[in-house]
Amino acid sequence: MTELAKLADLAKDSSIAGRKSLIGTLTDMYLAAGDARGEQISFLFGDIALKLLGQLEEETRAALAERVCADDMAPHQLMLQLAQDSVSVAEPVLQNSPVLLPEDLVAIASTASMDHLGAIAGRESVEQAVTAVLVDRGDQTVLSKVAENKGADFTEASFFVILEKAGDVEQIQAALMVRPDLPEEAGRMLLPKLSDDLKKRVSSLGADNKLAKLINERAEKARAKQLERLKIQTSALVKEIDSGKMLVDDVVRRIARSGKPSELGMLLAGVSKLPFDAVSQLLFSQNDKPLVIVCKAVGVTTESYKDVLMMRAQRLRIDGMELNEAIQRFGLMSVEGACRSLDVLRQSCQPAAPQKPAEQPDMSQEAAKQKPSARASRKNVPFAAQR
């Protein structure tokens, strides 16, 4: 029996089983044709299948949808009809069919159930217009799915809508925070909503992640503000010390015992008239001689210096023997020697004055003899020269 004769016989059977066999055989023939199928064959298959759909059980319609859902030559009208069927029939078509157009998906998503929207949200690619409808109508499940879909194309407006609807739902937030297309302004809106756990996850995503950049940016700004407040507070303390209302030794002891190295560095810089950056490096430098000079010269006693050493010890893991040796070095340093060395340090920290160009540069041998050697011109070498 030829295939056409077989179809003719099956068409005579109007029972549920007969219609199931008919659509199954018809689909077999259509798919078996492969690349040889033309528009006419596709049209005929679609025309017959559409006429049969109303006579088929849901299970049979679902089987048909599953078989043709990924076919790029499937009849458009048939796929559109299957896409609007019950979700068991529509899901594979909505999620996979390359035949459905963006306008088809927009129309379906505008009225369909959340299950249908979820199937659309799982497509390999979702155009901006379709994403906009999913975001506008979708529940949390749909929003999570479309946010997690790397092939979903969002407009900036859709990002703001999904952010507003997401609220504190971590699944949606977690999906948004890893999207490379997340606009910076949307990221700024999302960041305060994240839980501590999600913020930790953001920090582990790497410097290229937009939210990670924002977190680092905010941290830098917070540190800058804290540093500015610290400068103001320390400046007030230095004024009190300079006026004789407070003793530098008392302030150093209190700050060292509180374990605040930044504040201690600023204070020592202020009373020693050295740059903060230079002094802050001294606190945890392996070579403690520069620190000994500064502390001894500004009036820190041995007892207070022990508190400074304890703060150093926690960071540098200094043992008891090394601590004792450090205390001895502090005791051996005279105040007069420390003050002289501090003067040298201050001079070395001064910016070099710009040299005026010679009016008539003379590179003759006689002029070279008159120029001081580089070795002779090296004066006031900081710290290293005192080791």
Side-chain angles (χ1 to χ4, degrees):
M1 183 185 292
T2 66
E3 290 181 336
L4 290 177
K6 183 178 180 181
L7 284 176
D9 286 344
L10 289 172
K12 296 175 184 178
D13 186 353
S14 60
S15 67
I16 293 175
R19 290 297 179 249
K20 181 177 181 180
S21 296
L22 177 58
I23 193 66
T25 302
L26 184 65
T27 305
D28 289 341
M29 292 173 61
Y30 168 73
L31 293 176
D35 295 337
R37 291 172 293 171
E39 290 185 8
Q40 185 175 5
I41 292 178
S42 179
F43 174 80
L44 288 173
F45 169 68
D47 185 54
I48 298 172
L50 280 170
K51 290 176 180 178
L52 289 174
L53 277 184
Q55 304 171 46
L56 300 176
E57 292 182 309
E58 182 175 329
E59 180 183 354
T60 304
R61 299 197 307 275
L64 170 63
E66 190 67 46
R67 295 188 68 188
V68 298
C69 66
D71 182 19
D72 57 3
M73 295 183 66
H76 176 260
Q77 200 58 39
L78 173 62
M79 304 311 288
L80 192 58
Q81 189 71 26
L82 291 171
Q84 298 175 81
D85 206 320
S86 62
V87 72
S88 64
V89 178
E91 184 173 17
V93 176
L94 289 173
Q95 187 164 325
N96 301 297
S97 177
V99 175
L100 294 178
L101 303 173
E103 49 265 37
D104 298 330
L105 296 168
V106 167
I108 294 170
S110 298
T111 58
S113 71
M114 290 299 121
D115 289 334
H116 288 75
L117 266 63
I120 296 173
R123 290 177 68 85
E124 184 175 352
S125 63
V126 185
E127 293 77 7
Q128 286 187 353
V130 182
T131 302
V133 180
L134 296 178
V135 169
D136 286 338
R137 291 198 62 230
D139 57 15
Q140 291 182 0
T141 302
V142 174
L143 295 179
S144 297
K145 196 168 184 178
V146 73
E148 291 168 352
N149 188 345
K150 296 180 180 178
D153 192 2
F154 279 75
T155 63
E156 189 167 325
S158 291
F159 272 116
F160 291 123
V161 172
I162 196 172
L163 272 172
E164 183 178 350
K165 294 183 67 175
D168 296 327
V169 181
E170 288 199 4
Q171 185 176 354
I172 302 175
Q173 293 176 348
L176 290 174
M177 72 187 194
V178 297
R179 290 193 66 93
D181 54 346
L182 182 71
E184 185 173 323
E185 188 57 35
R188 294 185 187 279
M189 290 178 58
L190 173 61
L191 195 55
K193 299 180 180 182
L194 298 181
S195 64
D196 290 340
D197 287 341
L198 285 183
K199 286 180 180 177
K200 289 179 182 177
R201 284 174 57 184
V202 169
S203 300
S204 67
L205 293 175
D208 291 337
N209 180 268
K210 291 183 179 180
L211 283 187
K213 289 180 181 179
L214 287 175
I215 287 178
N216 291 334
E217 180 184 301
R218 290 193 173 191
E220 286 295 329
K221 288 182 178 179
R223 282 193 290 269
K225 286 183 179 180
Q226 184 181 7
L227 190 61
E228 191 59 34
R229 287 195 298 268
L230 195 57
K231 285 180 180 178
I232 294 172
Q233 294 170 3
T234 306
S235 179
L237 285 174
V238 171
K239 287 181 179 179
E240 293 287 296
I241 292 169
D242 289 344
S243 66
K245 295 180 180 179
M246 300 181 72
L247 293 175
V248 65
D249 193 58
D250 294 337
V251 181
V252 167
R253 178 178 298 180
R254 173 174 58 80
I255 296 175
R257 288 182 176 180
S258 301
K260 298 177 180 178
S262 295
E263 188 173 345
L264 181 59
M266 282 191 179
L267 178 76
L268 292 175
V271 294
S272 65
K273 306 301 185 284
L274 289 172
F276 166 67
D277 290 342
V279 177
S280 62
Q281 293 175 13
L282 303 183
L283 288 175
F284 298 109
S285 172
Q286 291 290 340
N287 176 24
D288 65 351
K289 189 170 183 179
L291 182 61
V292 169
I293 292 171
V294 172
C295 289
K296 178 71 78 166
V298 300
V300 176
T301 64
T302 301
E303 290 304 314
S304 295
Y305 189 69
K306 288 179 181 178
D307 293 319
V308 176
L309 287 177
M310 290 304 297
M311 188 178 67
R312 277 174 52 83
Q314 293 176 3
R315 177 76 65 87
L316 301 178
R317 298 180 180 179
I318 298 173
D319 59 28
M321 182 177 295
E322 290 177 295
L323 280 175
N324 288 332
E325 292 173 353
I327 294 171
Q328 289 175 11
R329 284 193 293 271
F330 185 80
L332 292 173
M333 172 69 71
S334 67
V335 175
E336 293 78 9
C339 289
R340 288 194 300 270
S341 296
L342 182 57
D343 287 337
V344 175
L345 296 181
R346 291 195 188 105
Q347 293 175 30
S348 68
C349 291
Q350 294 297 321
Q355 295 182 351
K356 294 182 180 180
E359 293 182 1
Q360 294 181 347
D362 186 357
M363 297 308 295
S364 67
Q365 186 175 358
E366 186 63 26
K369 290 180 180 179
Q370 297 174 6
K371 296 171 72 77
S373 68
R375 185 181 300 274
S377 64
R378 290 179 184 170
K379 296 181 179 180
N380 303 333
V381 178
F383 302 143
Q386 302 164 32
R387 293 179 184 175

